[in-house]
Amino acid sequence: MTRCSSIKTGELSTKLFQVEFYFYQVMENLIKNGFDYNGEHYVYFSSSAGSIRKHRGLFIEEKLYNQIRPTLTCGLTLDRINELGGCVVNKWLAYLALSSSATEIWKDFDIDKAIVCDDYEIQVFGDMDYIDAFDYSVTRKYTNVEIPMNDGVGMMIGGPTRVIRGPFIKGLMVQFDFHKFLKEKCNKDQWVVSDIYGTPHNVIEEDIQYILTKSQFKMAKYFTNWDEYKQNFKKYGCTMGWCNMEQPYVPKARINYQMLNSLHDMTDEEIKRLLGKTVEEIETIGQDYQTTMRLLGATEYNKNPSWFQEALMIYPELFRDPYCRDILKQTKQSLVKQAKGGRLRVNGYYRLASPDLYAYCERLFLGVENPKGLLANGEVSIKQFKHGEEVDCLRSPHLYFEHCLRTNNRSEEVGKWFTTECIYTSCNDLISRVLALDWDGDILLVTNDKTIKKVVKRNQKDYVPLLFDMRKAEPVQINGDTIYQGLIAAFKYGKIGKYSNDCAKIWGKGQIDKNSLTALKLLVAESNWSIDAAKCLYMPERPQEAKDLISESTKGKLPNFFIYAKDKESHQVEKPNNSTMNRIAASIPDPKIRFSKSISKFDYRMLMNLDYDFSISGDSSVVKAYDYWNSRQNLFNGEDLNQKDQDLYKYKQIRNKIIEESNRDLDYIVNTLVAVLYTSRRASAKKTLWNCFGDVILENLKRNLEGKGKVCQICGKRFIQKTKGQRASCCSEECSKQLDKEQAYERFLRS
């Protein structure tokens, strides 16, 4: 949307307005009639899921919208939608809002090499607890349920795997060589498949590179055929974008309080073992160079580092400056608070989830009604763990006992076909039902932590997947009235946080009996019904018996650890009890930070351009302008929590103001500010300096450090390689041995 609107990053624009609704009467008027501002008329565009949670709507300049609408909708109009029977109004809003997702253009995507094929489901049997929406009864029964094989996922020949956004297209595209599958497993007649409109395509001869699925193409029924969509895509200059891409390296994961809450009977010894890595991290920050750099994001694995992080990597001597030490203290405080709130380091990874695409190809090309695929029931496949190893698969939100212990299959045949960094799940498994999982970009935490697995095994016999009926919404004519009613419903029913908090209260009591377990099941069902109610406008009403049961199970305040997990005040929470999470919070140490002595002496001149003059006076025009705007940062709006600080609108504006008002060249400005802030104001915060001028300081550092030696990978000490036999990345034999140990351990984990 911003690309079509020619809105530049970091510049203020009045082409779009995000309006927060407080009064329904005003909201109704705005949606139906729009508003005027500076001689331009604005109309309601849409509300994404995130905007709905904040009761917001996106408005766009009407004249601009009329120009770019065909590009955003691939030529689809509301008149055509209404002629064809209308649409579920909140689905329409969600699909329209896809164009406002933050994306990069997928430059080499070719729409002519793409087709859209059908979704498939498979019957999977198992024990389940069925929850009746009418009387809230819970019945355990052995039954079958239809499991989608490919909900929200498609396949592509090239890579890497990515989450995509296009006009009414949303989902995950996983790299899978279906050309190889066709040539090795199929005869030539099976190279031809029909798209969702019944048009046949020879996948090999047409060199199809992308097979999208019907669940990814959200407004498929409003286009005559795929050719119409493709023609419009090219005619109106549409693009495919991506908003997330798999990375070969991701740091070790941190688990969250919901996943730990359900491990309600952990012993003190088990908690101590679980906390080992987290406590070690807290106690060594500042003292251990590698831990400190990792926690500050100053590592080569950070593919999008800030200027300050890059500077730390090449000049760790910055640690000697009081400002950096303040950052370390704040980082340690944040780490302690997060740990007390359940953010603990575990041996695991967050990975994009993919179904068994081999099974999907068996169904699509070979016509196998019940494909077995490569993964059996109870198996997953992930590169990061060994073949045959047991892992726990988890997903947020985690309200019930959604722990899925599975066996990792990395056989030769599996490795041949499943080549990405995804976590692959079996199509013959209820795992997607337990985790409420689809494959449009969902991310799972996969861990082999022995303590967690031990506690899960001890408890899993009491829990089976939950099954509840979900209603379908009927399409309506899309107009101002139905959009208003749809938003009202979304605002009313979309408050799923209360169900999450009520579940936390139950787990937080530390003991789970039959009644509290039933209450948990009902709350999970209500949470799902609530999400669905925003679309179908129906929410079951609690029977009195269920109301009494849930009220009794959830009475009281929030659990004590919410002080750390949710920033609650002490009067909003219960006193600490013996629950798992409260004992974890009480076990987290808060030691005084100790600073490494191995790092070399800091010289502020390394941050300057030594070929330029500067002023060290606090009365200079440069310093006056810096002080003035640094104290008035709140004048600039436009904060975005998804951006690095240095990319925020306010810092770009402050930089421009300082340059404009001081009337000096950039090198003089940076030299002056560095000299003043790192000498006469050594204890001052330098966040604004780095976020405004860090790019210049970084270039100065790179130039000044030439010939000054290397930084030891283990201890951070700067050294000059003395002999050819000396390891290039280590300052001493001791550090070299430590590096060998770490690399051997990493190889062991990958083996």
Side-chain angles (χ1 to χ4, degrees):
M1 170 174 270
T2 54
R3 286 190 288 264
C4 287
S5 304
S6 299
I7 297 175
K8 295 181 180 179
T9 301
E11 290 186 5
L12 182 67
S13 174
T14 58
K15 294 177 181 178
L16 301 172
F17 276 85
Q18 188 81 266
V19 178
E20 190 161 354
F21 302 126
Y22 291 91
F23 303 100
Y24 284 169
Q25 298 93 327
V26 179
M27 179 178 109
E28 182 178 13
N29 188 288
L30 287 172
I31 288 172
K32 293 180 178 179
N33 303 317
F35 63 88
D36 294 334
Y37 176 79
N38 277 358
E40 294 289 347
H41 187 65
Y42 292 78
V43 294
Y44 176 74
F45 175 69
S46 184
S47 297
S48 65
S51 295
I52 284 175
R53 283 194 293 271
K54 298 176 181 177
H55 289 204
R56 291 176 179 174
L58 185 62
F59 288 77
I60 184 171
E61 193 179 279
E62 185 177 36
K63 182 171 62 178
L64 171 65
Y65 182 52
N66 290 335
Q67 293 171 355
I68 69 173
R69 180 197 53 76
T71 305
L72 301 181
T73 65
C74 205
L76 189 61
T77 65
L78 271 182
D79 288 340
R80 181 165 185 178
I81 293 170
N82 287 334
E83 286 172 8
L84 294 173
C87 182
V88 177
V89 64
N90 283 355
K91 286 189 175 183
W92 163 250
L93 295 180
Y95 301 157
L96 195 59
L98 291 176
S99 62
S100 61
S101 302
T103 58
E104 298 286 344
I105 295 177
W106 191 355
K107 294 180 181 179
D108 57 355
F109 178 82
D110 184 354
I111 191 69
D112 288 321
K113 299 292 185 182
I115 59 174
V116 184
C117 293
D118 266 320
D119 298 312
Y120 296 106
E121 294 180 332
I122 192 167
Q123 298 287 335
V124 180
F125 288 79
D127 286 322
M128 283 172 258
D129 281 337
Y130 173 72
I131 301 169
D132 191 293
F134 178 72
D135 62 8
Y136 276 44
S137 61
V138 180
T139 307
R140 181 161 298 188
K141 55 184 179 180
Y142 182 81
T143 186
N144 66 301
V145 64
E146 290 185 340
I147 298 294
M149 291 180 62
N150 57 299
D151 190 7
V153 70
M155 306 180 292
M156 60 182 179
I157 298 297
T161 293
R162 63 190 80 200
V163 181
I164 63 167
R165 296 289 185 270
F168 304 125
I169 288 177
K170 168 183 184 283
L172 182 69
M173 291 299 289
V174 179
Q175 183 180 6
F176 184 86
D177 196 344
F178 50 87
H179 283 190
K180 180 167 70 174
F181 183 93
L182 286 169
K183 292 174 181 177
E184 291 187 11
K185 306 295 180 180
C186 307
N187 59 52
K188 290 191 176 182
D189 291 340
Q190 293 168 325
W191 292 2
V192 178
V193 294
S194 294
D195 66 20
I196 58 175
Y197 299 100
T199 305
H201 297 272
N202 189 308
V203 174
I204 299 296
E205 291 182 3
E206 295 178 34
D207 190 27
I208 299 301
Q209 296 289 307
Y210 317 94
I211 296 182
L212 301 164
T213 53
K214 189 175 181 179
S215 52
Q216 293 180 298
F217 190 14
K218 301 303 183 181
M219 300 293 281
K221 71 176 184 178
Y222 302 98
F223 290 89
T224 306
N225 51 44
W226 181 238
D227 278 340
E228 181 190 10
Y229 183 87
K230 289 198 299 182
Q231 289 166 10
N232 285 358
F233 193 94
K234 291 179 284 188
K235 177 181 177 181
Y236 297 116
C238 302
T239 57
M240 192 68 72
W242 59 271
C243 51
N244 189 12
M245 184 184 293
E246 70 172 2
Q247 300 295 332
Y249 173 85
V250 290
K252 292 289 179 64
R254 294 184 189 274
I255 200 167
N256 65 46
Y257 79 85
Q258 288 183 331
M259 299 168 181
L260 295 169
N261 238 351
S262 58
L263 305 177
H264 60 91
D265 65 345
M266 289 188 76
T267 65
D268 290 342
E269 183 59 34
E270 287 169 338
I271 287 176
K272 182 179 179 181
R273 286 201 301 270
L274 182 64
L275 296 181
K277 287 291 183 182
T278 304
V279 171
E280 180 185 351
E281 201 172 52
I282 291 171
E283 291 179 339
T284 57
I285 185 172
Q287 185 179 23
D288 181 78
Y289 171 73
Q290 290 176 291
T291 300
T292 303
M293 293 289 274
R294 186 183 72 251
L295 290 173
L296 292 176
T299 71
E300 62 183 25
Y301 301 115
N302 183 355
K303 300 303 180 184
N304 190 27
S306 68
W307 296 321
F308 187 72
Q309 288 168 334
E310 284 192 74
L312 280 174
M313 282 189 273
I314 64 173
Y315 193 58
E317 288 87 341
L318 275 167
F319 282 130
R320 296 279 189 178
D321 178 63
Y323 169 62
C324 192
R325 297 197 169 198
D326 285 340
I327 292 178
L328 284 176
K329 290 175 183 176
Q330 293 165 17
T331 302
K332 193 268 295 186
Q333 290 169 359
S334 175
L335 200 62
V336 169
K337 181 184 174 186
Q338 288 182 32
K340 287 178 176 288
R343 295 278 294 166
L344 306 179
R345 276 195 69 193
V346 293
N347 189 42
Y349 304 88
Y350 282 99
R351 288 297 186 188
L352 288 164
S354 168
D356 185 339
L357 293 174
Y358 188 97
Y360 178 66
C361 287
E362 288 180 313
R363 181 68 180 86
L364 177 65
F365 299 123
L366 297 175
V368 180
E369 287 290 334
N370 294 296
K372 293 183 178 180
L374 294 177
L375 299 176
N377 183 15
E379 290 184 341
V380 295
S381 182
I382 179 172
K383 281 183 177 181
Q384 281 67 37
F385 295 108
K386 293 183 292 186
H387 175 70
E389 188 170 13
E390 188 177 51
V391 294
D392 190 14
C393 304
L394 306 112
R395 176 179 173 269
S396 294
H398 180 112
L399 306 183
Y400 188 51
F401 191 83
E402 294 94 354
H403 290 271
C404 295
L405 293 180
R406 297 295 186 268
T407 301
N408 189 33
N409 184 340
R410 289 304 299 173
S411 66
E412 184 177 347
E413 183 70 2
V414 168
K416 172 183 174 181
W417 295 99
F418 295 166
T419 59
T420 76
E421 304 297 327
C422 293
I423 163 73
Y424 294 87
T425 62
S426 170
C427 64
N428 293 292
D429 195 328
L430 288 172
I431 186 171
S432 61
R433 187 77 200 185
V434 176
L435 299 179
L437 168 68
D438 54 27
W439 296 276
D440 63 357
D442 284 4
I443 293 176
L444 301 188
L445 167 60
V446 188
T447 176
N448 67 348
D449 186 280
K450 292 180 181 178
T451 302
I452 291 175
K453 290 190 295 184
K454 179 181 177 183
V455 181
V456 171
K457 286 179 181 178
R458 192 165 65 225
N459 287 278
Q460 64 182 356
K461 65 181 184 299
D462 297 324
Y463 302 91
V464 297
L466 303 180
L467 181 62
F468 26 80
D469 296 323
M470 305 296 285
R471 293 204 175 190
K472 289 189 176 181
E474 295 298 323
V476 297
Q477 296 290 293
I478 304 296
N479 53 47
D481 287 322
T482 54
I483 289 174
Y484 171 68
Q485 292 300 328
L487 282 178
I488 293 293
F491 294 164
K492 178 181 179 182
Y493 296 120
K495 300 174 181 177
I496 59 174
K498 65 179 181 180
Y499 301 109
S500 173
N501 285 346
D502 280 346
C503 288
K505 284 183 180 180
I506 294 174
W507 289 118
K509 294 181 186 299
Q511 294 181 335
I512 299 295
D513 56 24
K514 182 179 179 181
N515 286 342
S516 56
L517 188 58
T518 301
L520 277 170
K521 296 173 184 178
L522 298 180
L523 286 168
V524 172
E526 285 189 334
S527 176
N528 283 270
W529 288 330
S530 172
I531 295 169
D532 201 48
K535 302 171 187 174
C536 67
L537 308 185
Y538 170 78
M539 180 71 188
E541 185 175 347
R542 282 181 187 174
Q544 188 60 47
E545 185 178 350
K547 190 180 295 185
D548 294 340
L549 175 67
I550 293 173
S551 296
E552 179 64 26
S553 299
T554 59
K555 67 181 180 181
K557 300 176 183 178
L558 293 165
N560 187 268
F561 73 89
F562 265 44
I563 291 174
Y564 313 106
K566 296 290 185 179
D567 291 321
K568 297 299 181 183
E569 301 292 336
S570 57
H571 68 272
Q572 297 175 295
V573 299
E574 295 284 354
K575 292 182 178 180
N577 62 10
N578 209 36
S579 72
T580 292
M581 267 308 307
N582 282 334
R583 282 183 290 141
I584 285 175
S587 302
I588 299 298
D590 189 4
K592 185 176 180 180
I593 195 166
R594 293 176 293 175
F595 296 99
S596 173
K597 297 180 179 179
S598 64
I599 294 172
S600 307
K601 185 179 179 181
F602 170 63
D603 183 354
Y604 76 91
R605 293 173 299 176
M606 292 291 102
L607 312 181
M608 301 167 66
N609 186 334
L610 301 178
D611 296 328
Y612 276 74
D613 196 8
F614 62 92
S615 169
I616 205 166
S617 169
D619 293 328
S620 72
S621 60
V622 172
V623 177
K624 284 182 177 179
Y626 176 88
D627 288 343
Y628 180 86
W629 291 110
N630 186 38
S631 64
R632 289 166 174 78
Q633 294 185 24
N634 60 341
L635 295 177
F636 304 106
N637 294 318
E639 305 296 345
D640 184 347
L641 296 178
N642 295 318
Q643 286 183 304
K644 290 181 295 187
D645 283 349
Q646 67 195 38
D647 293 330
L648 293 178
Y649 174 74
K650 68 178 180 182
Y651 290 118
K652 294 181 182 296
Q653 293 303 307
I654 291 172
R655 173 175 170 142
N656 292 337
K657 294 287 187 183
I658 294 171
I659 294 173
E660 178 185 337
E661 294 180 10
S662 64
N663 197 28
R664 302 302 298 256
D665 64 72
L666 195 54
D667 283 302
Y668 182 89
I669 290 171
V670 173
N671 278 5
T672 296
L673 291 176
V674 167
V676 171
L677 296 178
Y678 279 94
T679 57
S680 59
R681 299 188 192 174
R682 285 191 68 236
S684 65
K686 303 173 181 72
K687 183 177 182 178
T688 301
L689 171 68
W690 278 95
N691 287 330
C692 289
F693 301 105
D695 56 335
V696 181
I697 297 173
L698 183 60
E699 289 306 311
N700 291 341
L701 265 175
K702 291 177 180 178
R703 184 170 54 252
N704 294 332
L705 287 172
E706 289 182 7
K708 301 290 185 182
K710 299 179 179 180
V711 175
C712 179
Q713 190 173 331
I714 297 298
C715 70
K717 181 180 179 181
R718 188 170 298 279
F719 71 98
I720 295 176
Q721 192 172 359
K722 296 178 180 179
T723 63
K724 289 184 178 180
Q726 183 182 353
R727 196 165 190 158
S729 56
C730 294
C731 68
S732 65
E733 186 176 346
E734 182 181 356
C735 287
S736 185
K737 288 179 180 178
Q738 178 63 29
L739 182 60
D740 287 338
K741 288 181 182 178
E742 293 176 4
Q743 291 177 341
Y745 180 66
E746 287 297 322
R747 287 194 297 270
F748 167 75
L749 291 178
R750 294 193 196 102
S751 63

